[in-house]
Amino acid sequence: MNDFSELEAELKKLRPRPVSPDLSARIEVSLAQEAAGRGVATAGVLPKRKFRPNWFALGLGLAAAATFLILARVNVDRPSKSTGLALLTPAPITPAAKAVDSFVPAAMTQVVYDTKDEGLHFAEGKDEPMRRVRSRKRETVQWKNPQTGASLRVTYPTEEVTLVPVSGQ
């Protein structure tokens, strides 16, 4: 049942090697030096510190807070300088001159960012193979209104598959 019984028996027979005399000598020297007072410094108990507030910093902070509150209160108490006349007499409403909403194409850019050759394929109704190339692009079209100077720009991704005939050799 127990497949490791032989291994366990071998491990029980093993005993550690005896300590080398060199290591024993170094440990004895180290202990003798420590007993003589030249040992390694150890942690000690620090005396308990009494809390003493910094009165200067506390006073300076309270003075700054009081100054801030006084200035904030002064700005709140000031009356508004605007008069109610603008609220009582609305401006006359005049129809704005109607601008012709005519946008004219101004620019178009196509940026090809990936082209992949997908190998030879047989197109429907064709007896000869054709090479299929897939291109991914980003097209940007911009229109402008010449009267108002307004512009409109649209960017969209496109994907194009092209079948290129293979020339017979």
Side-chain angles (χ1 to χ4, degrees):
M1 275 191 164
N2 194 353
D3 295 337
F4 297 106
S5 59
E6 292 177 18
L7 181 61
E8 288 177 4
E10 286 182 32
L11 288 174
K12 285 181 184 177
K13 293 177 187 175
L14 294 177
R15 296 288 172 236
R17 288 180 43 189
V19 179
S20 69
D22 183 42
L23 178 62
S24 297
R26 285 188 290 159
I27 292 174
E28 286 178 20
V29 168
S30 172
L31 289 174
Q33 285 178 351
E34 198 171 313
R38 291 184 15 207
V40 179
T42 59
V45 179
L46 296 176
K48 193 172 187 179
R49 289 181 49 180
K50 186 176 178 183
F51 175 72
R52 291 179 33 197
N54 186 352
W55 294 109
F56 180 74
L58 182 64
L60 190 61
L62 286 174
T67 305
F68 174 74
L69 289 175
I70 290 171
L71 291 176
R73 183 70 185 152
V74 168
N75 287 339
V76 171
D77 289 341
R78 282 192 187 160
S80 170
K81 292 190 178 189
S82 66
T83 60
L85 184 61
L87 297 174
L88 298 176
T89 57
I93 299 173
T94 58
K98 214 172 194 185
V100 179
D101 291 334
S102 61
F103 281 93
V104 180
M108 180 177 173
T109 59
Q110 290 183 342
V111 178
V112 178
Y113 61 88
D114 186 26
T115 302
K116 186 177 182 182
D117 185 359
E118 295 183 343
L120 296 176
H121 293 277
F122 284 94
E124 291 182 25
K126 301 281 184 177
D127 293 334
E128 296 181 11
M130 302 189 91
R131 184 164 301 281
R132 183 161 64 181
V133 178
R134 185 177 304 265
S135 301
R136 294 183 189 174
K137 305 178 201 176
R138 188 181 72 223
E139 294 184 356
T140 303
V141 182
Q142 184 175 0
W143 293 276
K144 280 195 174 183
N145 187 337
Q147 283 96 13
T148 63
S151 66
L152 175 70
R153 181 181 297 172
V154 178
T155 301
Y156 53 93
T158 60
E159 186 174 72
E160 179 181 341
V161 176
T162 308
L163 295 174
V164 179
V166 178
S167 61
Q169 294 183 10

